[in-house]
Amino acid sequence: MTIPRGSAATTDAPRPASSSTPGDSLTLGVEEEFLLVDPRTARTAPEAARVLARVEADPPPAGGGYRPELHATQVEAATGVCTSLTGGGGVAGQLTELRARLAAAAREEGVLAVASGTPVLGSGTTHITPGDRYERIAAHYAGTMDHYEMCGCHVHVGVPDAETAVVVVNRLRPWLPILLALSVNSPLHRGRDRGFASWRIAEETRFPGAGVPPWFDSAAHHSAVLDRMVETGALVDHGMTFWLARPSPRHPTVEVRVTDTATTVDEAVLQAGLVRALVRTALTDAERGLAVPRPDDQEAAAALWNAARHGPNGPLVHPLTGRLGPGREAVETLLEAVTPALEESGDLSTVRDLLAALRSTGTGADRQRAAWREGGPRAAIAVSAIPLPGEPGSVFDPGTPYALDPPRGLPRIPDTPAGVGAPTNRRAPTLAGTAAGTPSPAAPPEPEARREDPPSPFHFDPASPSRAQEPPYA
């Protein structure tokens, strides 16, 4: 993949219909998956039905909603259709409202809603959500579904038709690993630091139809490939692909699902802004007949692997040259590519500010690892738990690694004993006791944590020039 943007290379076939006029805002929506965690044990808890029943009693605004996931230890929150990142009815406001309602409902059921791509400890038992499709999926994929409690952030952007969606997805392929690198938030799984900034992506590779999608010649080609994968038993149905960008099987959108669930609303808004700008850029370039970089499948897999392994601290595969280099350069290239689209939508300053904040605080993976080293599994959960209104945005403070006291509403439990999961640290936060206030037993032993050096500082310059009801994302 040595062909830079604009040179004679792969072209689109067929040419997509124009989706909008310059300056129009593409509609978008965001789906976020969360874990439910018992604060007494730091393990995931199969309380989705109870939490959903409580949160759905007070429907959220703007057409958003909540849905169950395959595992009863997870829930999904989805915005309605948005036209802006901020402002009234924008992505930021809807996500803030959805998270606050979910966090409150979860606390009322004695659990925490946790924004992490993987569970720190897991549940120890597989809990499949009742329902024909979920049960078919669990039976079909057998043991690969055990403990598969992975959480992502999915961004939908409206497009006019399936043909356009395929053209856009083709043009997104080189950029997907960079989006992942900026979102990494799953270094811990089942009591160990797995050495990847996004272990969620490593777990997904066990499934067919995973990773960066292949190149499709047309919507008919895309549909034929899905038909064949279902016929050969690789997929249960067309909606089961794990491709990290795809024409949505349910909505008139392109669905980008490469990123880990974001710890904060700001980090989810950053992804939404970048994805919409990439879709706008893809539409504009296709309409102008500009060449599109076309990495082969193995090159794309290598780029994704590096992003999952290292995050934005690099090395990363450059999206235009295909060569391994500093992550900083790959991120700067992404920002440069989408700057015209961000200027059109009025989002450039917002995205630059959010990138600067990410540079300052580090990624979710950085923060989870720092918390893990300080205080073990409970500290790692504390850094990812969704706060209630009025609580700190996170119990993690970059200047002082952990708050001495748990945030309001979290009952207290003993620190992790020495030798369990990670070393005990007396300054680590403790997340809760029973509702009656009595301490509960420590979590059962987990494998010894693998100790690793912290990632290097996140230091690119973002200002460089170089559901109760399905939300109808349209």
Coordinates of all heavy atoms in Angstrom, one line a residue, residues 4 8 28 34 39 77 100 164 294 303 306 317 323 354 373 402 430 434:
P4 N -0.1 7.1 -2.5 CA -0.7 8.1 -1.7 C -2.0 8.6 -2.2 O -2.4 8.3 -3.3 CB 0.3 9.2 -1.8 CG 1.0 9.0 -3.1 CD 1.0 7.5 -3.3
A8 N -3.1 7.6 -9.3 CA -3.9 6.6 -10.0 C -3.9 5.3 -9.3 O -2.8 4.7 -9.2 CB -3.4 6.5 -11.4
L28 N -26.0 11.2 12.4 CA -25.2 10.1 13.1 C -25.8 9.7 14.4 O -26.7 10.4 14.9 CB -23.7 10.6 13.4 CG -23.4 11.6 14.5 CD1 -21.9 11.6 14.8 CD2 -23.9 13.0 14.1
F34 N -21.8 -1.6 27.7 CA -21.2 -1.4 29.0 C -21.3 -2.8 29.8 O -22.2 -3.6 29.5 CB -22.0 -0.3 29.8 CG -21.9 1.0 29.2 CD1 -23.1 1.5 28.6 CD2 -20.8 1.8 29.2 CE1 -23.1 2.8 28.0 CE2 -20.7 3.0 28.6 CZ -21.9 3.5 28.0
P39 N -19.8 -4.5 42.8 CA -18.7 -3.8 43.5 C -18.2 -4.6 44.7 O -17.1 -4.2 45.2 CB -19.4 -2.5 43.9 CG -20.9 -2.8 44.0 CD -21.1 -3.9 42.9
A77 N -26.5 1.2 25.3 CA -27.2 2.4 25.3 C -27.0 3.0 23.9 O -25.9 3.1 23.4 CB -26.7 3.4 26.4
A100 N -26.0 8.7 32.5 CA -26.5 9.0 33.9 C -27.6 8.2 34.3 O -27.7 7.7 35.4 CB -26.8 10.5 33.9
T164 N -23.8 3.3 -1.9 CA -22.9 4.3 -1.3 C -22.2 3.8 -0.1 O -21.0 4.0 0.2 CB -23.7 5.5 -1.0 OG1 -24.4 6.0 -2.1 CG2 -22.9 6.6 -0.4
R294 N -5.6 1.0 -1.1 CA -6.3 -0.3 -1.0 C -5.3 -1.3 -0.4 O -4.7 -2.1 -1.1 CB -6.8 -0.8 -2.3 CG -7.6 -2.1 -2.3 CD -8.2 -2.5 -3.6 NE -8.8 -3.8 -3.6 CZ -9.5 -4.3 -4.6 NH1 -9.7 -3.6 -5.7 NH2 -10.0 -5.5 -4.5
A303 N -1.9 -3.8 10.3 CA -2.1 -2.5 10.9 C -3.0 -2.5 12.1 O -2.8 -1.8 13.1 CB -2.8 -1.6 9.8
N306 N -1.1 -3.9 15.2 CA -0.2 -2.9 15.8 C -1.0 -1.9 16.6 O -0.6 -1.5 17.7 CB 0.6 -2.2 14.8 CG 1.9 -2.9 14.4 OD1 2.9 -2.9 15.1 ND2 1.8 -3.6 13.3
V317 N 1.0 1.4 11.6 CA 1.1 1.3 10.2 C 0.5 2.6 9.6 O -0.6 2.9 9.9 CB 0.5 0.1 9.6 CG1 0.5 0.1 8.0 CG2 1.2 -1.2 10.1
R323 N 3.7 1.8 5.7 CA 4.9 1.5 6.4 C 4.8 1.7 7.9 O 4.0 2.6 8.3 CB 6.1 2.4 5.8 CG 6.4 2.1 4.4 CD 7.7 2.9 4.0 NE 8.0 2.6 2.6 CZ 7.6 3.3 1.5 NH1 6.9 4.4 1.7 NH2 8.0 3.0 0.3
L354 N -10.6 17.8 22.0 CA -10.7 16.5 22.5 C -9.4 15.6 22.3 O -9.1 14.8 23.2 CB -11.9 15.8 21.9 CG -13.3 16.4 22.2 CD1 -14.4 15.7 21.5 CD2 -13.6 16.3 23.7
R373 N -1.9 -1.2 38.7 CA -0.7 -1.3 39.4 C -0.8 -0.7 40.8 O -0.1 -1.1 41.7 CB 0.4 -0.6 38.6 CG 0.8 -1.3 37.3 CD 2.0 -0.6 36.7 NE 2.4 -1.4 35.5 CZ 1.9 -1.1 34.3 NH1 1.1 -0.1 34.1 NH2 2.2 -1.8 33.2
Y402 N -5.1 7.9 42.8 CA -6.4 7.5 43.2 C -7.0 8.3 44.3 O -6.3 8.7 45.2 CB -6.4 6.0 43.6 CG -5.9 5.2 42.5 CD1 -4.6 4.9 42.4 CD2 -6.7 5.0 41.4 CE1 -4.1 4.3 41.3 CE2 -6.2 4.4 40.3 CZ -4.9 4.1 40.2 OH -4.4 3.5 39.1
T430 N -11.6 1.7 47.6 CA -12.4 0.5 47.8 C -13.8 0.7 47.3 O -14.4 1.8 47.6 CB -12.3 0.1 49.2 OG1 -12.8 1.2 50.0 CG2 -10.9 -0.3 49.7
T434 N -21.7 -4.6 51.4 CA -23.1 -4.9 51.2 C -23.9 -3.7 51.4 O -23.5 -2.7 52.0 CB -23.5 -6.0 52.1 OG1 -23.4 -5.5 53.5 CG2 -22.7 -7.3 52.0

